[in-house]
Amino acid sequence: MATDWSETIVVADLQDEPTFSEELNALITEIDRREDRLDVVVNMADVSYVNSSNIAQLLRLRKAVVEGDGHLKLAGVGDTVWSVMILTGLDKVFAFAPDKATALASLQLDRG
């Protein structure tokens, strides 16, 4: 579930399907609804796989965040998901952090 970590940062702790799709859809809707800049951390520590639909959702999320002048960090990506990111070239599209705490710290430093 996505939670407001601060006024400008939202954290989404994702799990495998079907929760993955539901959470990302809700997060994209929330970002589109807001008018202020929003940074997003997507914690993927509990995600063991991604499919093409999940990748499309992540790309839609990235687009929504970037269009709102925010930053998106994917955190805690496991080896299986990381290999998909590399094979698809998405390792060059998304920003990654080893864990949620590091992602949050880097977003706060970027704003400072």
Side-chain angles (χ1 to χ4, degrees):
M1 182 165 99
T3 56
D4 289 348
W5 190 81
S6 72
E7 290 182 14
T8 58
I9 299 175
V10 172
V11 176
D13 293 303
L14 298 184
Q15 298 175 354
D16 288 328
E17 287 293 356
T19 308
F20 188 101
S21 293
E22 294 167 1
E23 289 294 327
L24 275 187
N25 283 334
L27 182 56
I28 293 167
T29 300
E30 175 68 15
I31 290 168
D32 287 341
R33 184 184 66 77
R34 292 195 185 191
E35 294 181 17
D36 53 335
R37 175 182 165 186
L38 197 60
D39 294 331
V40 177
V41 172
V42 175
N43 182 17
M44 298 183 66
D46 292 331
V47 177
S48 61
Y49 68 93
V50 290
N51 59 37
S52 59
S53 177
N54 301 145
I55 291 170
Q57 285 181 297
L58 286 169
L59 289 168
R60 280 195 307 276
L61 173 63
R62 181 184 178 280
K63 180 180 179 193
V65 171
V66 170
E67 285 179 350
D69 199 31
H71 295 94
L72 171 65
K73 297 265 184 181
L74 303 184
V77 175
D79 291 343
T80 304
V81 175
W82 180 245
S83 65
V84 171
M85 295 294 177
I86 291 171
L87 288 170
T88 57
L90 294 174
D91 59 315
K92 295 172 182 56
V93 174
F94 291 103
F96 296 90
D99 54 52
K100 183 166 58 172
T102 304
L104 288 166
S106 69
L107 287 175
Q108 288 180 308
L109 289 173
D110 288 346
R111 280 191 175 254

